Amino acid sequence: MKKQYLMAPGPTTIPEEVLAAESYPIIHHRTPGFKKVLEEVGEGLRYVFQTQRDVYVHASSGTGAMEMAVCNLLSKGDKALVVQGGKFGERWAEICQAYGIEVVSIDIPYGDVVTPSMIGETLKGDTSIKAVYTTHCETSTGVVTDIEGIAEVVRDHSAVLVVDAISGLGAEPLKTDEWGIDVVVAGSQKGLMIPPGLSFISLSEKAWELVKMSDLPKYYLSLMALKESWSKIDTPYTPAVSLIMALQKSLEMIKKEGLENVLSRHARLAQATREGILALDLELFAKRPANNCTAVKVPEGIDGKVIPKRFRDEYGITIAGGQGSMKGKIFRIAHLGYADTFDVVVAISALEMILLDLGCPIELGKGVGAAERVLRLGG
Ligand SMILES: *Cc1c(COP(=O)(O)O)cnc(C)c1O
């Protein structure tokens, strides 16, 4: 037996009470009992998204909501601005291209971050851009984007701002209404602590105006259909009943802890992880590191692909390697969702042992000690 630890930036560990809620006997979705569940879930999602507007639930992985935000907002011949600084920014461009949308791209080197003024300049130079597609936490590089600053800039233009908060929701601040974000999309298997299979989307009035005009093809992904059903506390097709029951429980947990406390827990775990990494003389990959996952540069002379493999095979810990061109160059340790103090200790401790075994000059306990100095509560 090897005790298993899930420390990848999605899917994340699921709390026992959420698993129990998911395993309740199935209930029919067109019943007063399920309506009550949907009502509660709707309220909980508005709290986590920090919005007064409805947040729609859809049965798909997060990418389904990303695709919704393209095929419902845009029309044939439209132009979209896409920030590409990692795998998930690139996904926005791929979805747009699949629908024949003209993509204006801001290309950011991996690990770097887009600035609000870069977006402002591009919008000023091309007033025909309909939407700006950004990534809250670029999970592939460990970067968090300045969405507040970007929203302030986009507000002065006719374009709508769309944010992929799939991995950032519930880990990094994101004030949908206060910051004036038009469209937020999220997914279930990251900060929301439930299994994969649900996606979420909320839209501003400005975004709904685009939806009304959109002529791109859609059926299962139609937001109009979703909105119409949701207004009657219903869903257009059979919803993922068990996942929604799990969500009801996880939202209840988030509300009980308090969103501010959830976010400060993530900030503390992320800081401890970063301190542990730096104490081992390793380098962070992200210029603006996110609180959901820490990307670390593989030390010179080490085969980077071996690190996540050793975590899994030797210690039962699933972390993430680099994706695409980052393969072998970075590894990523998540502290996302149902994560707490000793998850950081476990990850840094395993890292010390693995690096020592790979021949790195590691002093055991140095990284753990640095993390503990951030984590201790009585200090
Ligand atoms: C995980 C992730 C996605 C993809 O979500 P799926 O649920 O795999 O479709 C998209 N964007 C970001 C930022 C993510 O972290």
Side-chain angles (χ1 to χ4, degrees), residues 157-232:
H157 297 270
S158 59
V160 294
L161 174 62
V162 183
V163 177
D164 165 4
I166 292 174
S167 71
L169 188 84
E172 285 279 357
L174 188 78
K175 300 184 176 177
T176 303
D177 289 359
E178 195 182 315
W179 294 355
I181 309 167
D182 293 297
V183 180
V184 175
V185 305
S188 54
Q189 77 276 26
K190 312 226 170 160
L192 289 175
M193 311 182 289
I194 67 171
L198 293 182
S199 66
F200 310 95
I201 185 165
S202 89
L203 295 94
S204 68
E205 285 309 315
K206 187 174 164 187
W208 277 116
E209 290 308 311
L210 286 183
V211 175
K212 283 179 205 154
M213 293 184 302
S214 165
D215 64 2
L216 292 177
K218 58 228 162 220
Y219 185 84
Y220 184 60
L221 298 184
S222 167
L223 275 171
M224 283 297 197
L226 199 50
K227 183 186 190 183
E228 192 181 316
S229 292
W230 208 257
S231 68
K232 293 175 260 171

Side-chain angles (χ1 to χ4, degrees), residues 268-291:
R268 185 171 136 266
L269 300 182
Q271 198 207 334
T273 305
R274 292 192 289 263
E275 294 297 329
I277 294 297
L278 295 173
L280 295 174
D281 292 323
L282 298 173
E283 268 181 83
L284 301 174
F285 182 66
K287 296 246 166 73
R288 199 171 187 270
N291 286 339

